[in-house]
Amino acid sequence: MATLKRDSSSGSESCPIRDALDRVGDRWSTQVLCTLAQKGTLRFSALKVNIEDISQRMLAQTLRRLEQDGFLSRTVYPTNPPRVDYALTPLGKSLLQPVSELVRWAKQNHRRVLDARKLYVPPVAPAGDLSAQV
């Protein structure tokens, strides 16, 4: 299996915080990790059923990246058709505590974030100032 190339120009390899947040902060990785934590070892189709709205393509990409980063293992069984199981590795399990804390915080504060977004009024730029329009 080919490895996914990372854009080294972003500097994420030299910044451990950004590198970790790039992975767990994407739209699907945290959901995959939490699903495997709750349900245990799962096949691709079971993950797809348990994660709403994820496409097959996006699930496959997310699983590859999580495997590449060492967060999950992929075991292929020589059956016809081949059976493939996904499970958390020790590194993936070690990420669960901080991720679950983030999930807890998000659930606890989601309403406050939504309320703040509704109340937010963007600053008015002086005439001719394009920098505040970004």
Side-chain angles (χ1 to χ4, degrees):
M1 170 163 49
T3 58
L4 299 173
K5 296 197 183 220
R6 294 198 186 235
D7 180 8
S8 59
S9 65
S10 68
S12 66
E13 289 182 10
S14 63
C15 179
I17 296 168
R18 185 171 29 181
D19 197 29
L21 290 178
D22 282 348
R23 178 61 54 237
V24 298
D26 71 32
R27 183 171 181 183
W28 301 111
S29 293
T30 301
Q31 291 185 47
V32 169
L33 293 169
C34 289
T35 300
L36 289 171
Q38 291 172 347
K39 307 276 184 175
T41 301
L42 291 174
R43 296 174 74 173
F44 183 94
S45 57
L47 277 164
K48 175 100 174 60
V49 166
N50 281 279
I51 302 172
E52 294 181 22
D53 299 331
I54 193 168
S55 68
Q56 273 191 255
R57 181 174 181 261
M58 187 52 62
L59 179 57
Q61 287 178 351
T62 302
L63 290 169
R64 269 188 238 113
R65 287 187 185 115
L66 289 170
E67 181 184 8
Q68 179 184 15
D69 287 349
F71 294 122
L72 59 82
S73 64
R74 178 179 181 267
T75 305
V76 181
Y77 296 95
T79 59
N80 191 8
R83 176 183 169 157
V84 180
D85 286 344
Y86 295 92
L88 292 175
T89 62
L91 182 62
K93 289 176 184 175
S94 74
L95 185 59
L96 292 177
Q97 193 277 326
V99 165
S100 63
E101 186 62 26
L102 178 61
V103 169
R104 184 197 62 73
W105 181 91
K107 287 178 180 178
Q108 188 175 24
N109 292 287
H110 189 233
R111 174 56 40 209
R112 293 171 59 194
V113 171
L114 294 176
D115 291 345
R117 287 178 186 164
K118 286 179 187 174
L119 296 173
Y120 176 73
V121 178
V124 178
D129 182 4
L130 298 177
S131 65
Q133 296 177 7
V134 178

